[in-house]
Amino acid sequence: MKRVVMWGLSTLTVLVLLFGYHTSTSAALPASSEVVAVGTSSGGRTVTGPVAQTRWGAVQVAITLADNKVTAVTVLQSPDANRKDQQINARALPILTEEALDAQSADIDMVSGATVTSEGYRESLQGALDEAGL
Amino acid sequence: MAPSTPDSKRYVEHVMGMPISLALRGAHTDDASARSAWAAVMAELREVDRVFSTFRVDSVISRLGRGEIGPVDCPPEVTEVLGLAEWAEHDSGGAFRVRRPGPDGESVLDPNGVVKGWAAERAAEHLRALPDTGFCLSAGGDLVCRTLDPDGAPWRVGVEDPRSPSKIIAVIPIRSGAVATSGTAHRGEHIVDGRTGRPPADVASVTVVADTLTWADIDATAAYAHGRDAATWLRTRPDRTGLVVWRDGRTTVVA
């Protein structure tokens, strides 16, 4: 850490209280991307990370460490959760099949399901689809 | 079995222990630019694995979890993912957690519930750059699609039956957007309700349709963690649709 500013833990707590619950409503809050604040106490230390500019807006988190383990992550700023995508499409709705379809009857391009492992892929529906289309 | 879109060109590779499948249709499906975009997708996912894998002791996220490095030493993507995870935890009322109890009882930093969807959404940028080309990219069963012609044929996404994973229980015709499913069909019980630490009750799988795979994946996991409240919680989310399959075989469509 290059530019470390020592802050009291109480100061940091106030910061967290001020910013901690803006997670789903706030736009980016003004903050310096340079300053890194570290609070210490016997119970642990809190490190404020840099502001990351993401596609959705600025994100900044504080991480609390105790005995060299991460014990808490606090969002100091995040983009607006209710942001609408510019290119929003007509909403796609699941259409239930009359009965569960087997691979041959399913006129589909891809399969969404619980995560398939590489080991299980060959026997999976997605594996069969890819095999047929490769 | 033939894919619904027979003129599409398909690619498959593996990373992070899961298959990545791609279907391309349109102007660039099998030329140098298509292959280069596919290579860029895979390179990006391998880099994400290097940074975020909790299975690698030398990954950035493992070193951060052990306190060997601080957030300022991490690439900005780490801050982005931890921020997303915390945001998801807040929005899910604590059902979604970024930290889980480790084998020794201490908490372990585990952002896997965020990383997969976020990484695939990000990697899909390389495909969006292909002119006049539609795509459907699947990362182990979570996928992001794009169709150029708003009146053209949608991608047809089959939803796996969690009780019988070789069968399809629903079809989602989607032009552009993302579909993610959380369940225990292939990897066993690994999602717990962050509020109780126990596997959620009653729910077999949750499928979420959203604008981005980042949020489809997060919301599928968060809804699944809600157990019997999965559909109720999903209805509170903006611009999402989905399907909850219950353990007794009943289904609930969230419109």
Side-chain angles (χ1 to χ4, degrees):
Chain A
M1 277 171 271
K2 291 168 189 115
R3 301 178 59 185
V4 174
V5 181
M6 297 299 292
W7 286 25
L9 195 61
S10 58
T11 313
L12 198 91
T13 306
V14 171
L15 247 178
V16 169
L17 284 175
L18 275 173
F19 295 159
Y21 284 94
H22 285 256
T23 48
S24 58
T25 52
S26 71
L29 296 162
S32 162
S33 58
E34 293 292 317
V35 175
V36 173
V38 179
T40 54
S41 75
S42 55
R45 65 199 174 98
T46 300
V47 184
T48 303
V51 177
Q53 293 299 333
T54 75
R55 201 181 326 154
W56 304 282
V59 176
Q60 186 181 31
V61 297
I63 292 181
T64 304
L65 299 155
D67 297 329
N68 282 336
K69 303 264 179 176
V70 175
T71 55
V73 179
T74 308
V75 173
L76 302 184
Q77 51 173 309
S78 65
D80 185 352
N82 296 315
R83 152 204 74 85
K84 299 264 189 207
D85 225 9
Q86 294 294 313
Q87 296 179 308
I88 192 157
N89 282 273
R91 286 209 228 166
L93 274 178
I95 301 162
L96 290 162
T97 55
E98 296 260 319
E99 55 189 38
L101 291 174
D102 58 21
Q104 282 73 23
S105 327
D107 178 28
I108 52 172
D109 294 297
M110 287 278 175
V111 177
S112 183
T115 304
V116 172
T117 61
S118 290
E119 293 75 33
Y121 169 71
R122 212 163 252 292
E123 287 75 45
S124 72
L125 263 183
Q126 184 65 53
L129 262 177
D130 289 336
E131 187 75 25
L134 276 172
Chain B
M1 169 171 63
S4 175
T5 311
D7 56 340
S8 63
K9 167 73 183 172
R10 302 176 84 92
Y11 300 81
V12 183
E13 278 192 51
H14 295 257
V15 68
M16 300 189 248
M18 66 183 171
I20 311 296
S21 301
L22 170 67
L24 290 176
R25 63 186 185 193
H28 300 279
T29 62
D30 199 12
D31 58 9
S33 60
R35 284 189 290 274
S36 148
W38 172 234
V41 166
M42 290 308 299
E44 180 144 348
L45 292 176
R46 285 191 196 98
E47 173 64 13
V48 165
D49 189 38
R50 201 183 63 75
V51 172
F52 287 100
S53 175
T54 50
F55 299 103
R56 294 172 177 231
V57 289
D58 63 340
S59 70
V60 172
I61 207 75
S62 294
R63 298 181 64 207
L64 179 68
R66 290 194 301 267
E68 291 170 16
I69 53 174
V72 289
D73 306 315
C74 297
E77 289 79 12
V78 171
T79 305
E80 183 177 342
V81 162
L82 291 177
L84 274 168
E86 193 68 18
W87 186 1
E89 186 170 322
H90 173 261
D91 278 11
S92 72
F96 182 105
R97 283 279 157 91
V98 68
R99 279 166 285 114
R100 59 176 170 80
D104 56 0
E106 295 188 67
S107 91
V108 177
L109 189 61
D110 182 5
N112 285 329
V114 172
V115 167
K116 186 169 73 154
W118 168 86
E121 179 70 40
R122 228 164 155 258
E125 285 301 307
H126 299 290
L127 305 171
R128 288 182 210 282
L130 283 173
D132 301 320
T133 306
F135 66 82
C136 192
L137 175 72
S138 165
D142 296 333
L143 38 96
V144 51
C145 306
R146 177 207 210 190
T147 302
L148 293 166
D149 178 0
D151 300 318
W155 294 102
R156 287 175 59 84
V157 176
V159 178
E160 163 192 283
D161 184 343
R163 297 157 305 148
S164 176
S166 63
K167 297 203 168 183
I168 293 298
I169 198 169
V171 175
I172 303 173
I174 182 168
R175 289 194 171 83
S176 297
V179 182
T181 299
S182 278
T184 56
H186 301 288
R187 294 194 175 191
E189 296 284 1
H190 65 289
I191 299 170
V192 297
D193 183 340
R195 300 165 299 183
T196 63
R198 292 207 195 88
D202 297 345
V203 65
S205 74
V206 178
T207 299
V208 174
V209 181
D211 294 340
T212 67
L213 187 47
T214 306
W215 281 103
D217 185 29
I218 288 173
D219 277 21
T221 307
Y224 186 89
H226 274 86
R228 58 178 60 95
D229 298 325
T232 310
W233 181 79
L234 191 52
R235 282 200 188 90
T236 68
R237 303 293 287 158
D239 301 321
R240 270 70 152 176
T241 59
L243 174 70
V244 178
V245 183
W246 306 99
R247 292 200 180 191
D248 62 7
R250 287 179 303 122
T251 52
T252 304
V253 173
V254 174

